[in-house]
Amino acid sequence: MTASPGPATTRRAGRRRAWTFAALALLAASQALLWWTWYGQGPKQLIGDEGAYLATAQSILAGGPWHASTIWPPLQPLLIAAVLALAGPHLIAVQLVQTAMLIGCAALLRSLWRRIDGRVAAANLAAALFLLNPGTAAYAHWLWPEVVHLLLILALLRLLASDALRPARAALAGACLGLALLAKSLLAGFWPVLLLAFAGRGRRRARLLAAAVFLVAAGCVTAPAWLQGWRDYGKPMIADSSVYNLWIGLTDRWRSDYIEDMGGVTLPAFMASGETPAARNAATWEQIHALVAERGLLPIVLDQLGRQYFRLFSAKTPLVSQLPGPACAGHLSAYRTAPWLTATLTAANGLFHSLILAAAAFGLIAWRRRPDRIGWLLVLFAAYQLALMLPLHVKARFLFPLLPLLCGLAASWLAALMRPHAADTASGPIAFTPLRSGIGAVLAALALALAWLGPVLDGTCPP
């Protein structure tokens, strides 16, 4: 005879259903607002690289080369071209595909964070924070490769987090790595670190086989692009804009992006500075060396420290930057939204952005569990990306690859905060102590200062 659930169990189930329904309703409302934002008063104007990706995709459909750029990797134009070939010339089809990918990112984040944290509530909350934030959900509508790149990174990490790295799983992880390199160049300097996932797991021969399969799969996926670079320029390459972005990053002036932004303005001059990528990079290195000789290395580093992380963590996310607003504050007015919708999205974006940053700061300091292999990979990936942002040209959208980790840390802390007695057990990942809470408060204040004080310090819009 099966015992009926007790009152406490029934109440917990009822609370879970209520939270689930509330999250789904909020997700539906957020999505409806974002779709209306794009199409309600006419489609959004494409900005920056969005136009280049679409133009390349249309060129591919017209019979042009599949990989003709030395600046942008080829996967995003190929994806757009494939969707348009199947669905016709309708961007909404691309946006629907990327929305499905964004949901896939949330599902992978939930699975990965459940393994790291161990609590279903924290994993669910991490996925909810990621999806419900309109500043995150809006990425599915834009033509940048951020969503597909993040999906591949999360899939790669989830595969590497598997208890047994069998050859088939290692091959799939390698394919994800190769595709990620074809989407964005972010992992170009980090991928060797991923081999740490194969260290000390099972027998030596099995580890070596899995690592070899991983590398071969990544090489096979990227080989056509490497060969194309070799044939066109005598050097195996996919795409490389690092030297150009270094020059732009060193000459940026403001703590917020899209204010007198010189990235797209100076790109034609960079492309005209040499016939090959090597020649263009050499010419740009001369400019960089001259700048360092003129200003000095230490003053440049201090300037970068005082500017770059304001740009990266800014609450003026790409969604807010594209809403109507003053150009002097970095608003592009690419959307044609009514004042009430602009205010609603700006407020919701600011609320979620601040909550995630502050709670992640507390979660990072309160985390007491020793990182495992995948935990260390996440730590090293975050450190690698933060280090890259110091010299390079930074936009707020470059925070996107770090959002899953921030959402995970925020969710772990918030989940423990909602059940503090359960968090006090030795097995929990979060520890509430006065010292940890005090340091967490300082780090949260720093994160919020980076998010909000950049425009105040710059004073770009005089009263």
Side-chain angles (χ1 to χ4, degrees):
M1 184 175 181
T2 304
S4 59
T9 302
T10 303
R11 285 195 298 271
R12 285 196 297 269
R15 285 196 296 268
R16 284 196 297 268
R17 285 194 296 269
W19 279 109
T20 300
F21 290 145
L24 290 175
L26 189 57
L27 177 61
S30 174
Q31 286 292 312
L33 283 178
L34 289 172
W35 284 103
W36 179 256
T37 299
W38 187 289
Y39 290 105
Q41 302 296 323
K44 181 188 83 75
Q45 174 187 351
L46 299 182
I47 66 169
D49 300 345
E50 285 188 293
Y53 287 122
L54 179 59
T56 303
Q58 292 169 337
S59 174
I60 292 171
L61 291 175
W66 66 276
H67 181 28
S69 174
T70 61
I71 298 294
W72 297 288
L75 184 59
Q76 183 69 3
L78 287 171
L79 173 66
I80 296 173
V83 174
L84 296 182
L86 292 173
H90 309 294
L91 282 186
I92 192 172
V94 178
Q95 294 168 325
L96 289 171
V97 169
Q98 292 191 154
T99 298
M101 289 181 173
L102 191 77
I103 294 172
C105 289
L108 286 167
L109 170 58
R110 181 187 181 279
S111 176
L112 187 64
W113 206 256
R114 184 173 181 182
R115 184 192 181 283
I116 292 172
D117 182 288
R119 296 172 296 168
V120 175
N124 290 342
L125 185 54
L129 287 173
F130 180 81
L131 272 184
L132 296 178
N133 180 5
T136 301
Y139 278 91
H141 294 179
W142 304 326
L143 300 187
W144 291 309
E146 260 60 20
V147 172
V148 63
H149 183 253
L150 184 61
L151 180 70
L152 291 165
I153 288 178
L154 290 173
L156 167 63
L157 291 172
R158 187 62 190 91
L159 287 164
L160 293 179
S162 303
D163 293 329
L165 269 176
R166 298 184 177 89
R169 195 168 289 161
L172 187 55
C176 288
L177 170 60
L179 290 171
L181 290 169
L182 294 176
K184 284 178 70 74
S185 301
L186 178 62
L187 294 181
F190 185 77
W191 68 263
V193 181
L194 297 173
L195 294 175
L196 293 175
F198 298 89
R201 304 181 67 167
R203 296 179 179 177
R204 183 171 181 271
R205 181 176 297 179
R207 296 200 312 268
L208 292 176
L209 175 61
V213 169
F214 174 75
L215 293 175
V216 168
C220 288
V221 169
T222 55
W226 292 111
L227 292 173
Q228 181 80 16
W230 182 281
R231 186 181 65 184
D232 291 345
Y233 305 107
K235 174 186 176 182
M237 59 176 293
I238 298 174
D240 181 17
S241 59
S242 59
V243 178
Y244 173 69
N245 277 317
L246 174 59
W247 168 249
I248 300 301
L250 294 176
T251 54
D252 278 329
R253 296 176 53 200
W254 308 106
R255 294 179 177 88
S256 183
D257 55 10
Y258 297 115
I259 300 176
E260 298 180 4
D261 188 87
M262 301 303 293
V265 176
T266 58
L267 182 59
F270 170 77
M271 297 301 294
S273 65
E275 295 184 358
T276 65
R280 292 191 285 269
N281 287 345
T284 306
W285 272 119
E286 290 183 5
Q287 294 178 287
I288 293 171
H289 291 150
L291 179 67
V292 173
E294 176 187 349
R295 294 174 53 193
L297 182 59
L298 182 59
I300 287 177
V301 171
L302 294 177
D303 284 346
Q304 298 296 101
L305 283 171
R307 180 179 61 247
Q308 299 297 81
Y309 298 107
F310 284 97
R311 296 172 68 95
L312 182 65
F313 290 99
S314 176
K316 188 177 72 65
T317 65
L319 173 62
V320 176
S321 291
Q322 296 181 73
L323 291 171
C328 61
H331 290 272
L332 302 173
S333 300
Y335 288 108
R336 306 171 186 175
T337 49
W340 71 267
L341 183 52
T342 301
T344 299
L345 289 173
T346 301
N349 172 88
L351 175 64
F352 272 96
H353 191 78
S354 299
L355 173 64
I356 290 169
L357 288 184
F362 278 107
L364 176 63
I365 300 302
W367 191 270
R368 64 179 172 188
R369 186 177 292 165
R370 184 188 297 271
D372 61 4
R373 187 179 292 102
I374 296 303
W376 278 116
L377 282 181
L378 288 173
V379 170
L380 292 173
F381 177 70
Y384 164 77
Q385 183 166 342
L386 291 174
L388 277 183
M389 296 303 108
L390 179 62
L392 298 181
H393 179 54
V394 174
K395 285 186 166 63
R397 65 183 170 96
F398 296 168
L399 185 66
F400 191 64
L402 285 179
L403 277 177
L405 177 58
L406 293 174
C407 289
L409 289 171
S412 290
W413 186 75
L414 291 171
L417 191 66
M418 289 186 284
R419 299 186 64 188
H421 298 296
D424 287 337
T425 62
S427 60
I430 297 297
F432 289 116
T433 66
L435 178 60
R436 289 177 183 267
S437 297
I439 299 174
V442 172
L443 186 58
L446 175 61
L448 293 177
L450 292 175
W452 292 100
L453 292 185
V456 177
L457 295 173
D458 280 342
T460 51
C461 290

